[in-house]
Amino acid sequence: KQEVTQIPAALSVPEGENLVLNCSFTDSAIYNLQWFRQDPGKGLTSLLLIQSSQREQTSGRLNASLDKSSGRSTLYIAASQPGDSATYLCAASSGAGSYQLTFGKGTKLSVIP
Amino acid sequence: GAVVSQHPSRVICKSGTSVKIECRSLDFQATTMFWYRQFPKQSLMLMATSNEGSKATYEQGVEKDKFLINHASLTLSTLTVTSAHPEDSSFYICSGRFNYGYTFGSGTRLTVV
C-alpha cells in the first residue's frame, strides 16, 4: 500500500527566501505525482504534475522534481511571498485501476512579511 | 479548463438528517469521480471512487449504506450522507480525473449538530 510522507509538517520563512518542501513515497510504481496548494477551508489547487517518465516540471517560481528510484519529490519555491502561505500537499497516483491518489499530510507554509 | 463545481460549500444539519453534496464537471466529462474526506490537520482520505453508470467502489472502513454515491451522468456525481451524526462532521471534497491529472472541487464543510 502506497504511503506518502511530507517533511516538514510546518515551515516558517521570511519573505524573499527560497525554500524546498519534501515528499517521499514508498511504492515507486507511480503513474504520476502531483503537488497541490490548499488554503484554509478551501479545496485544492493543482500546482504541478510530474509524469512518471519526467524528472521535473516548472511553473513560474515553482519547480517540482521527481526521483522515482529514491521515492522522492521536492517542490522548490523561489523568492517566497506572503501570498504563498498555505498548506502544500503532494499526492502519488498509483497508476493501477482507477488511478487513485494517495496524499501526504501536507506542509503548512507561512511566509512572514 | 477542467473545473469541478461543488455545492454546497457549507452545511449545518441536525443529527439524524441526510445531506446531499453535488459535484459537477463544468467543461469536461468526468467518467470517474473521487470522493475524499479531510479531518482537521489530517490529509485527504479517499472514501470512494464512482464511475459513471455503475456502482461506486468504497474504501475499506467506509459504510456504503451511509455514504450514498450516485454518478448518473458524465457531469454530475453526488454524495449523500444519510442519518448524519456529529462524527460525520468533516470537510468533503470531490475530484474528477481529466487527461493525466485531477481537478478538485472547492469542498463542503459539513457540521452535524
Side-chain angles (χ1 to χ4, degrees), chain B residues 6-92:
Chain B
Q6 182 172 348
H7 294 280
S9 58
R10 292 179 179 272
V11 58
I12 300 174
C13 69
K14 292 184 178 180
S15 185
T17 61
S18 296
V19 173
K20 179 184 283 188
I21 302 170
E22 290 190 352
C23 276
R24 294 181 183 273
S25 55
L26 300 184
D27 48 7
F28 71 103
Q29 293 183 332
T31 55
T32 301
M33 195 76 83
F34 302 93
W35 287 93
Y36 296 85
R37 180 167 52 184
Q38 186 179 34
F39 291 107
K41 298 187 178 181
Q42 297 295 314
S43 190
L44 279 73
M45 297 300 294
L46 182 66
M47 298 175 63
T49 302
S50 71
N51 294 294
E52 184 265 338
S54 64
K55 291 185 177 181
T57 302
Y58 291 82
E59 295 300 301
Q60 191 172 8
V62 178
E63 301 175 57
K64 63 179 181 180
D65 294 329
K66 181 171 187 60
F67 299 99
L68 301 179
I69 291 173
N70 185 284
H71 195 161
S73 77
L74 288 171
T75 59
L76 176 64
S77 179
T78 62
L79 167 67
T80 301
V81 183
T82 63
S83 187
H85 292 285
E87 57 264 30
D88 298 324
S89 297
S90 187
F91 191 60
Y92 294 86

Coordinates of all heavy atoms in Angstrom, one line a residue, chain B residues 6-92:
Chain B
Q6 N -18.5 22.4 -6.8 CA -19.0 21.6 -5.7 C -20.0 22.5 -4.8 O -19.6 23.6 -4.5 CB -17.9 21.1 -4.8 CG -18.3 20.2 -3.7 CD -17.2 19.5 -3.0 OE1 -16.0 19.5 -3.5 NE2 -17.4 18.9 -1.8
H7 N -21.1 21.9 -4.5 CA -22.1 22.6 -3.7 C -22.8 21.7 -2.7 O -23.0 20.5 -3.0 CB -23.2 23.3 -4.6 CG -22.6 24.3 -5.5 ND1 -22.4 25.6 -5.0 CD2 -22.3 24.3 -6.8 CE1 -21.9 26.3 -6.0 NE2 -21.8 25.5 -7.1
P8 N -23.1 22.1 -1.5 CA -22.9 23.5 -1.0 C -21.5 23.6 -0.5 O -20.8 22.6 -0.3 CB -23.9 23.6 0.1 CG -24.0 22.2 0.6 CD -23.9 21.3 -0.6
S9 N -21.0 24.8 -0.2 CA -19.7 24.9 0.4 C -19.7 24.7 1.9 O -18.7 24.3 2.5 CB -19.2 26.4 0.1 OG -20.0 27.3 0.6
R10 N -20.9 25.0 2.5 CA -21.0 24.8 4.0 C -22.4 24.3 4.2 O -23.4 24.8 3.6 CB -20.8 26.1 4.8 CG -19.4 26.6 4.8 CD -19.3 27.9 5.6 NE -18.0 28.4 5.6 CZ -17.1 28.1 6.6 NH1 -17.4 27.2 7.5 NH2 -15.9 28.6 6.5
V11 N -22.6 23.4 5.1 CA -23.9 23.0 5.5 C -23.9 22.5 7.0 O -22.9 21.9 7.4 CB -24.4 21.8 4.6 CG1 -23.5 20.6 4.6 CG2 -25.8 21.4 5.0
I12 N -24.9 23.0 7.7 CA -25.1 22.6 9.1 C -26.4 21.8 9.1 O -27.4 22.3 8.7 CB -25.2 23.8 10.0 CG1 -23.9 24.6 9.9 CG2 -25.4 23.3 11.5 CD1 -23.9 25.9 10.7
C13 N -26.4 20.6 9.7 CA -27.6 19.8 9.7 C -27.8 19.2 11.1 O -26.8 19.1 11.9 CB -27.6 18.7 8.7 SG -26.5 17.4 8.9
K14 N -29.0 18.8 11.4 CA -29.3 18.2 12.7 C -29.0 16.7 12.6 O -29.1 16.1 11.5 CB -30.8 18.4 13.0 CG -31.1 19.8 13.4 CD -32.6 19.9 13.8 CE -32.9 21.3 14.2 NZ -34.3 21.5 14.7
S15 N -28.6 16.2 13.7 CA -28.3 14.7 13.8 C -29.5 13.9 13.3 O -30.6 14.2 13.7 CB -27.9 14.4 15.2 OG -27.4 13.1 15.3
G16 N -29.2 12.9 12.5 CA -30.3 12.1 12.0 C -30.8 12.4 10.6 O -31.5 11.6 10.0
T17 N -30.5 13.6 10.2 CA -30.9 14.0 8.8 C -29.9 13.6 7.8 O -28.8 13.2 8.1 CB -31.2 15.5 8.8 OG1 -30.0 16.2 9.1 CG2 -32.2 15.9 9.8
S18 N -30.3 13.8 6.5 CA -29.4 13.5 5.4 C -29.0 14.7 4.7 O -29.8 15.7 4.6 CB -30.2 12.5 4.4 OG -30.4 11.3 5.1
V19 N -27.8 14.7 4.1 CA -27.3 15.8 3.4 C -26.7 15.4 2.0 O -26.1 14.3 2.0 CB -26.2 16.5 4.2 CG1 -25.5 17.6 3.4 CG2 -26.7 17.0 5.5
K20 N -27.1 16.1 1.0 CA -26.6 15.8 -0.3 C -25.6 16.8 -0.8 O -25.8 18.0 -0.7 CB -27.7 15.7 -1.3 CG -27.2 15.4 -2.8 CD -28.3 15.4 -3.8 CE -29.2 14.1 -3.7 NZ -30.2 14.1 -4.8
I21 N -24.4 16.3 -1.3 CA -23.4 17.2 -1.8 C -23.2 16.9 -3.3 O -23.2 15.7 -3.7 CB -22.0 16.9 -1.1 CG1 -22.2 17.1 0.4 CG2 -20.9 17.8 -1.7 CD1 -20.9 16.7 1.2
E22 N -23.2 17.9 -4.1 CA -23.1 17.8 -5.6 C -21.8 18.2 -6.1 O -21.2 19.2 -5.7 CB -24.2 18.6 -6.2 CG -25.6 18.1 -6.0 CD -26.6 18.8 -6.9 OE1 -26.2 19.8 -7.6 OE2 -27.8 18.3 -7.0
C23 N -21.3 17.5 -7.1 CA -20.1 17.9 -7.8 C -20.4 17.8 -9.3 O -20.8 16.7 -9.8 CB -18.9 17.0 -7.5 SG -18.1 17.6 -6.0
R24 N -20.2 18.9 -10.0 CA -20.4 18.9 -11.4 C -19.1 19.3 -12.2 O -18.4 20.2 -11.8 CB -21.5 20.0 -11.8 CG -22.8 19.7 -11.3 CD -23.8 20.8 -11.6 NE -25.2 20.5 -11.1 CZ -26.1 19.8 -11.7 NH1 -25.8 19.3 -12.9 NH2 -27.2 19.6 -11.1
S25 N -18.8 18.5 -13.2 CA -17.7 18.9 -14.0 C -18.2 19.8 -15.1 O -19.2 19.5 -15.8 CB -17.1 17.7 -14.7 OG -18.0 16.9 -15.4
L26 N -17.7 21.0 -15.2 CA -18.2 22.1 -16.0 C -17.8 22.1 -17.4 O -18.5 22.5 -18.3 CB -17.9 23.5 -15.4 CG -18.5 23.7 -14.0 CD1 -18.2 25.1 -13.5 CD2 -19.9 23.4 -13.9
D27 N -16.6 21.6 -17.7 CA -16.0 21.7 -19.0 C -15.3 20.5 -19.5 O -14.5 20.5 -20.4 CB -15.1 22.9 -19.2 CG -14.1 23.0 -18.0 OD1 -14.1 22.0 -17.2 OD2 -13.4 24.0 -17.9
F28 N -15.6 19.4 -18.8 CA -15.1 18.1 -19.2 C -16.0 17.0 -18.7 O -16.8 17.2 -17.9 CB -13.6 17.9 -18.7 CG -13.5 17.7 -17.2 CD1 -13.3 16.4 -16.7 CD2 -13.7 18.7 -16.3 CE1 -13.2 16.2 -15.4 CE2 -13.6 18.5 -15.0 CZ -13.4 17.2 -14.5
Q29 N -15.8 15.8 -19.3 CA -16.6 14.7 -18.9 C -15.9 13.9 -17.9 O -14.8 13.3 -18.2 CB -17.0 13.9 -20.1 CG -17.9 14.6 -21.1 CD -18.3 13.7 -22.3 OE1 -17.6 12.8 -22.7 NE2 -19.5 14.0 -22.8
A30 N -16.4 13.8 -16.7 CA -15.8 13.1 -15.6 C -16.3 11.7 -15.5 O -17.3 11.4 -14.8 CB -16.0 13.8 -14.3
T31 N -15.7 10.8 -16.2 CA -16.2 9.4 -16.2 C -15.9 8.8 -14.8 O -16.5 7.9 -14.4 CB -15.5 8.5 -17.3 OG1 -14.1 8.7 -17.1 CG2 -15.9 9.0 -18.6
T32 N -14.9 9.3 -14.1 CA -14.5 8.9 -12.8 C -14.5 10.1 -11.9 O -13.9 11.1 -12.2 CB -13.2 8.2 -12.8 OG1 -13.2 7.0 -13.7 CG2 -12.8 7.7 -11.4
M33 N -15.1 9.9 -10.7 CA -15.1 11.0 -9.7 C -14.7 10.3 -8.4 O -15.1 9.2 -8.1 CB -16.5 11.6 -9.6 CG -16.5 12.9 -8.8 SD -15.8 14.3 -9.7 CE -17.3 14.8 -10.6
F34 N -13.8 11.0 -7.7 CA -13.3 10.5 -6.4 C -13.9 11.4 -5.3 O -14.0 12.6 -5.4 CB -11.8 10.6 -6.3 CG -11.1 9.8 -7.4 CD1 -10.7 10.5 -8.6 CD2 -10.8 8.5 -7.3 CE1 -10.1 9.8 -9.6 CE2 -10.2 7.8 -8.3 CZ -9.8 8.4 -9.4
W35 N -14.2 10.8 -4.2 CA -14.7 11.5 -3.0 C -13.8 11.3 -1.8 O -13.4 10.2 -1.5 CB -16.1 11.0 -2.6 CG -17.2 11.5 -3.6 CD1 -17.6 10.8 -4.7 CD2 -17.9 12.7 -3.5 NE1 -18.6 11.6 -5.3 CE2 -18.8 12.8 -4.7 CE3 -17.9 13.8 -2.7 CZ2 -19.6 13.8 -4.9 CZ3 -18.7 14.9 -2.9 CH2 -19.6 14.9 -4.0
Y36 N -13.4 12.4 -1.3 CA -12.4 12.4 -0.1 C -13.1 13.1 1.1 O -14.0 13.9 1.0 CB -11.2 13.2 -0.5 CG -10.3 12.7 -1.6 CD1 -10.6 13.0 -2.9 CD2 -9.2 11.8 -1.4 CE1 -9.9 12.5 -4.0 CE2 -8.5 11.3 -2.4 CZ -8.8 11.7 -3.7 OH -8.0 11.2 -4.7
R37 N -12.5 12.7 2.2 CA -12.9 13.3 3.5 C -11.6 13.8 4.2 O -10.6 13.1 4.1 CB -13.6 12.3 4.4 CG -14.1 12.8 5.7 CD -15.0 11.8 6.4 NE -14.5 10.5 6.4 CZ -15.2 9.5 6.9 NH1 -16.5 9.6 7.3 NH2 -14.7 8.3 6.9
Q38 N -11.7 14.9 4.8 CA -10.5 15.5 5.4 C -10.9 16.0 6.8 O -11.7 16.9 7.0 CB -9.9 16.7 4.6 CG -8.6 17.2 5.1 CD -8.1 18.4 4.3 OE1 -8.9 19.1 3.7 NE2 -6.8 18.5 4.2
F39 N -10.2 15.4 7.8 CA -10.4 15.8 9.2 C -9.4 16.9 9.5 O -8.3 16.9 8.9 CB -10.3 14.6 10.2 CG -11.5 13.7 10.0 CD1 -11.4 12.5 9.4 CD2 -12.8 14.1 10.5 CE1 -12.4 11.6 9.3 CE2 -13.8 13.2 10.4 CZ -13.7 12.0 9.7
P40 N -9.6 17.7 10.5 CA -8.7 18.8 10.9 C -7.2 18.3 11.0 O -7.0 17.3 11.7 CB -9.2 19.3 12.2 CG -10.7 19.0 12.1 CD -10.8 17.7 11.4
K41 N -6.4 19.0 10.4 CA -4.9 18.8 10.4 C -4.6 17.4 9.9 O -3.5 16.9 10.2 CB -4.4 18.9 11.8 CG -4.5 20.4 12.4 CD -3.9 20.6 13.7 CE -4.0 22.0 14.1 NZ -3.4 22.3 15.4
Q42 N -5.4 16.8 9.1 CA -5.2 15.5 8.5 C -5.2 15.7 7.0 O -5.7 16.7 6.5 CB -6.2 14.4 8.9 CG -6.2 14.1 10.4 CD -4.9 13.5 10.9 OE1 -4.4 12.6 10.2 NE2 -4.3 14.0 12.0
S43 N -4.7 14.7 6.3 CA -4.7 14.7 4.9 C -6.0 14.2 4.3 O -6.9 13.8 5.1 CB -3.5 13.9 4.3 OG -3.4 14.2 2.9
L44 N -6.1 14.3 3.0 CA -7.3 13.8 2.4 C -7.3 12.3 2.4 O -6.3 11.6 2.0 CB -7.4 14.3 0.9 CG -7.9 15.7 0.7 CD1 -6.9 16.7 1.2 CD2 -8.3 15.9 -0.7
M45 N -8.4 11.7 2.8 CA -8.6 10.2 2.8 C -9.6 9.9 1.7 O -10.8 10.4 1.8 CB -8.9 9.7 4.1 CG -7.9 10.0 5.2 SD -6.3 9.2 4.8 CE -6.7 7.5 4.9
L46 N -9.3 9.0 0.8 CA -10.2 8.6 -0.2 C -11.3 7.8 0.4 O -11.1 6.8 1.2 CB -9.5 7.8 -1.3 CG -10.4 7.3 -2.4 CD1 -10.9 8.4 -3.3 CD2 -9.6 6.3 -3.3
M47 N -12.6 8.2 0.1 CA -13.7 7.4 0.6 C -14.2 6.4 -0.4 O -14.5 5.3 -0.1 CB -14.9 8.4 1.0 CG -14.6 9.4 2.0 SD -15.9 10.6 2.2 CE -17.2 9.4 2.8
A48 N -14.3 6.9 -1.6 CA -14.9 6.1 -2.7 C -14.6 6.6 -4.0 O -14.3 7.8 -4.2 CB -16.4 6.0 -2.5
T49 N -14.7 5.7 -5.0 CA -14.5 6.1 -6.4 C -15.8 5.7 -7.1 O -16.3 4.6 -7.0 CB -13.3 5.2 -7.0 OG1 -12.1 5.5 -6.3 CG2 -13.1 5.6 -8.5
S50 N -16.3 6.7 -7.9 CA -17.5 6.5 -8.6 C -17.2 6.6 -10.1 O -16.5 7.4 -10.6 CB -18.6 7.5 -8.2 OG -18.3 8.8 -8.7
N51 N -17.8 5.7 -10.8 CA -17.7 5.6 -12.3 C -19.1 5.8 -12.9 O -20.1 5.2 -12.4 CB -17.2 4.3 -12.8 CG -15.7 4.1 -12.4 OD1 -14.8 4.9 -12.8 ND2 -15.5 3.2 -11.5
E52 N -19.2 6.6 -13.9 CA -20.5 7.0 -14.5 C -21.2 5.7 -14.9 O -20.7 4.8 -15.6 CB -20.3 7.9 -15.7 CG -21.6 8.4 -16.3 CD -22.0 7.5 -17.5 OE1 -21.1 6.8 -18.1 OE2 -23.2 7.5 -17.8
G53 N -22.5 5.6 -14.4 CA -23.3 4.5 -14.8 C -23.1 3.2 -14.1 O -23.7 2.2 -14.4
S54 N -22.2 3.2 -13.1 CA -22.0 1.9 -12.3 C -21.9 2.2 -10.8 O -21.9 3.4 -10.4 CB -20.7 1.2 -12.8 OG -19.6 2.0 -12.6
K55 N -21.9 1.2 -10.1 CA -21.8 1.4 -8.6 C -20.5 1.9 -8.2 O -19.4 1.5 -8.8 CB -22.1 0.0 -7.9 CG -23.5 -0.5 -8.1 CD -23.8 -1.7 -7.2 CE -25.2 -2.2 -7.3 NZ -25.5 -3.4 -6.5
A56 N -20.5 2.6 -7.1 CA -19.2 3.2 -6.6 C -18.4 2.1 -5.9 O -19.0 1.1 -5.4 CB -19.5 4.3 -5.6
T57 N -17.1 2.3 -5.8 CA -16.2 1.4 -5.1 C -15.8 2.1 -3.8 O -15.2 3.2 -3.9 CB -15.0 1.1 -5.9 OG1 -15.4 0.5 -7.2 CG2 -14.1 0.1 -5.2
Y58 N -16.1 1.5 -2.7 CA -15.8 2.2 -1.4 C -14.5 1.6 -0.8 O -14.2 0.4 -0.9 CB -16.9 1.9 -0.4 CG -18.2 2.6 -0.8 CD1 -19.1 2.1 -1.8 CD2 -18.5 3.8 -0.2 CE1 -20.2 2.8 -2.1 CE2 -19.7 4.5 -0.6 CZ -20.5 4.0 -1.5 OH -21.7 4.7 -1.9
E59 N -13.8 2.5 -0.1 CA -12.6 2.1 0.6 C -12.9 1.4 1.8 O -14.0 1.5 2.4 CB -11.7 3.3 0.9 CG -11.2 4.1 -0.3 CD -10.3 3.2 -1.2 OE1 -9.3 2.7 -0.7 OE2 -10.7 3.0 -2.4
Q60 N -12.0 0.6 2.3 CA -12.2 -0.2 3.5 C -12.6 0.7 4.7 O -11.9 1.7 4.9 CB -10.9 -1.0 3.8 CG -11.1 -2.1 4.9 CD -9.9 -2.9 5.0 OE1 -8.9 -2.7 4.4 NE2 -10.0 -4.0 5.8
G61 N -13.6 0.3 5.4 CA -14.0 1.1 6.5 C -15.0 2.2 6.3 O -15.5 2.8 7.2
V62 N -15.4 2.4 5.0 CA -16.4 3.4 4.6 C -17.7 2.7 4.4 O -17.8 1.8 3.6 CB -16.0 4.2 3.4 CG1 -17.0 5.2 3.0 CG2 -14.6 4.9 3.6
E63 N -18.7 3.1 5.1 CA -20.0 2.4 5.0 C -20.8 2.9 3.8 O -21.2 4.1 3.7 CB -20.9 2.8 6.3 CG -20.2 2.4 7.6 CD -21.1 2.9 8.7 OE1 -22.3 2.5 8.8 OE2 -20.6 3.6 9.6
K64 N -21.0 2.0 2.9 CA -21.6 2.3 1.6 C -23.1 2.7 1.8 O -23.7 3.4 1.0 CB -21.5 1.2 0.6 CG -22.2 -0.1 1.0 CD -22.0 -1.1 -0.1 CE -22.7 -2.4 0.3 NZ -22.5 -3.5 -0.8
D65 N -23.7 2.2 2.9 CA -25.1 2.5 3.1 C -25.3 3.8 3.8 O -26.4 4.4 3.8 CB -25.8 1.4 4.0 CG -25.8 0.1 3.2 OD1 -26.0 0.1 2.0 OD2 -25.8 -1.0 3.9
K66 N -24.2 4.3 4.3 CA -24.3 5.6 5.0 C -23.9 6.8 4.0 O -24.4 7.8 4.0 CB -23.3 5.7 6.2 CG -23.3 7.0 6.9 CD -22.6 6.9 8.2 CE -22.8 8.2 9.0 NZ -24.2 8.4 9.3
F67 N -22.9 6.5 3.2 CA -22.4 7.4 2.2 C -22.8 7.0 0.8 O -22.1 6.2 0.2 CB -20.9 7.6 2.3 CG -20.4 8.1 3.7 CD1 -20.0 7.2 4.6 CD2 -20.5 9.4 4.0 CE1 -19.5 7.7 5.9 CE2 -20.1 9.9 5.2 CZ -19.6 9.0 6.2
L68 N -24.0 7.5 0.4 CA -24.5 7.0 -0.9 C -24.0 7.9 -2.0 O -24.0 9.1 -2.0 CB -26.0 7.1 -0.9 CG -26.8 6.3 0.2 CD1 -28.3 6.5 0.1 CD2 -26.4 4.8 0.1
I69 N -23.4 7.2 -3.0 CA -22.8 7.9 -4.2 C -23.6 7.6 -5.4 O -23.8 6.4 -5.7 CB -21.3 7.6 -4.3 CG1 -20.5 8.2 -3.1 CG2 -20.8 8.1 -5.6 CD1 -19.1 7.8 -3.1
N70 N -23.9 8.6 -6.2 CA -24.6 8.5 -7.4 C -23.9 9.2 -8.5 O -23.5 10.4 -8.3 CB -26.1 9.0 -7.3 CG -26.8 8.7 -8.6 OD1 -26.7 9.4 -9.6 ND2 -27.7 7.7 -8.6
H71 N -23.6 8.5 -9.6 CA -22.8 9.1 -10.7 C -23.6 8.8 -12.0 O -23.1 8.0 -12.8 CB -21.4 8.6 -10.7 CG -20.5 9.3 -11.6 ND1 -19.1 9.2 -11.4 CD2 -20.7 10.2 -12.5 CE1 -18.5 10.0 -12.3 NE2 -19.4 10.6 -13.0
A72 N -24.8 9.4 -12.1 CA -25.7 9.1 -13.1 C -25.4 9.7 -14.5 O -25.9 9.2 -15.5 CB -27.1 9.5 -12.7
S73 N -24.5 10.7 -14.5 CA -24.2 11.3 -15.8 C -22.7 11.6 -15.8 O -22.0 11.5 -14.8 CB -25.0 12.6 -16.0 OG -24.5 13.6 -15.3
L74 N -22.2 12.0 -17.0 CA -20.8 12.3 -17.1 C -20.4 13.6 -16.5 O -19.2 13.9 -16.4 CB -20.4 12.3 -18.6 CG -20.4 10.9 -19.2 CD1 -20.2 11.0 -20.7 CD2 -19.2 10.0 -18.6
T75 N -21.4 14.4 -16.0 CA -21.1 15.7 -15.5 C -21.5 15.9 -14.0 O -21.3 16.9 -13.5 CB -21.7 16.8 -16.3 OG1 -23.1 16.7 -16.4 CG2 -21.1 16.8 -17.7
L76 N -22.1 14.9 -13.5 CA -22.7 15.0 -12.1 C -22.5 13.8 -11.3 O -22.8 12.7 -11.7 CB -24.2 15.4 -12.2 CG -24.9 15.5 -10.8 CD1 -24.3 16.6 -10.0 CD2 -26.4 15.6 -11.0
S77 N -21.9 14.0 -10.1 CA -21.8 13.0 -9.1 C -22.2 13.6 -7.8 O -22.0 14.7 -7.5 CB -20.3 12.5 -9.0 OG -20.2 11.5 -8.0
T78 N -23.0 12.8 -7.0 CA -23.5 13.2 -5.7 C -23.1 12.3 -4.6 O -23.0 11.1 -4.8 CB -25.0 13.4 -5.7 OG1 -25.6 12.1 -6.0 CG2 -25.5 14.4 -6.8
L79 N -22.9 12.9 -3.4 CA -22.6 12.1 -2.2 C -23.7 12.5 -1.2 O -23.9 13.7 -0.9 CB -21.2 12.5 -1.7 CG -20.9 12.0 -0.2 CD1 -20.9 10.5 -0.2 CD2 -19.6 12.6 0.3
T80 N -24.4 11.5 -0.7 CA -25.4 11.8 0.3 C -25.0 11.1 1.6 O -24.8 9.9 1.6 CB -26.8 11.2 -0.2 OG1 -27.2 11.8 -1.4 CG2 -27.9 11.5 0.9
V81 N -24.9 11.9 2.6 CA -24.6 11.4 3.9 C -25.9 11.2 4.6 O -26.7 12.1 4.9 CB -23.8 12.4 4.7 CG1 -23.4 11.8 6.1 CG2 -22.5 12.8 4.0
T82 N -26.2 9.9 4.8 CA -27.6 9.6 5.4 C -27.5 9.4 6.9 O -26.4 9.0 7.5 CB -28.1 8.2 4.8 OG1 -27.1 7.2 5.2 CG2 -28.1 8.3 3.3
S83 N -28.5 9.8 7.6 CA -28.6 9.7 9.0 C -27.3 10.3 9.7 O -26.6 9.6 10.4 CB -28.9 8.3 9.5 OG -29.1 8.2 10.9
A84 N -27.0 11.5 9.3 CA -25.7 12.1 9.8 C -25.6 12.2 11.3 O -26.6 12.4 12.0 CB -25.6 13.5 9.1
H85 N -24.4 12.0 11.8 CA -24.1 12.1 13.2 C -23.0 13.1 13.4 O -22.2 13.3 12.4 CB -23.8 10.7 13.8 CG -25.0 9.8 13.8 ND1 -26.0 9.9 14.8 CD2 -25.3 8.8 13.0 CE1 -26.9 9.0 14.6 NE2 -26.5 8.3 13.5
P86 N -22.8 13.6 14.6 CA -21.7 14.5 14.8 C -20.3 14.0 14.3 O -19.5 14.8 13.8 CB -21.7 14.8 16.3 CG -23.2 14.6 16.6 CD -23.6 13.5 15.8
E87 N -20.1 12.7 14.4 CA -18.8 12.2 14.0 C -18.6 12.3 12.5 O -17.5 12.0 12.0 CB -18.6 10.8 14.5 CG -19.6 9.8 14.0 CD -20.7 9.6 15.1 OE1 -21.0 10.6 15.9 OE2 -21.3 8.5 15.2
D88 N -19.7 12.5 11.7 CA -19.6 12.7 10.3 C -19.1 14.1 9.9 O -18.9 14.4 8.7 CB -20.9 12.4 9.6 CG -21.3 10.9 9.8 OD1 -20.5 10.1 9.8 OD2 -22.6 10.7 10.0
S89 N -19.1 15.0 10.9 CA -18.7 16.4 10.6 C -17.2 16.3 10.1 O -16.3 15.8 10.7 CB -18.7 17.2 11.9 OG -20.0 17.3 12.4
S90 N -17.1 16.9 8.9 CA -15.8 16.9 8.2 C -15.8 17.8 7.0 O -16.8 18.4 6.7 CB -15.5 15.4 7.8 OG -14.1 15.3 7.3
F91 N -14.7 17.8 6.3 CA -14.6 18.5 5.0 C -14.6 17.5 3.9 O -13.7 16.6 3.9 CB -13.3 19.3 5.1 CG -13.2 20.3 4.0 CD1 -14.1 21.3 3.8 CD2 -12.1 20.3 3.1 CE1 -14.0 22.3 2.8 CE2 -12.0 21.2 2.1 CZ -12.9 22.2 1.9
Y92 N -15.6 17.6 3.0 CA -15.7 16.6 2.0 C -15.3 17.3 0.6 O -15.8 18.4 0.3 CB -17.1 16.0 1.9 CG -17.5 15.2 3.1 CD1 -18.0 15.9 4.3 CD2 -17.3 13.9 3.1 CE1 -18.3 15.1 5.4 CE2 -17.7 13.1 4.3 CZ -18.2 13.7 5.4 OH -18.5 13.0 6.5

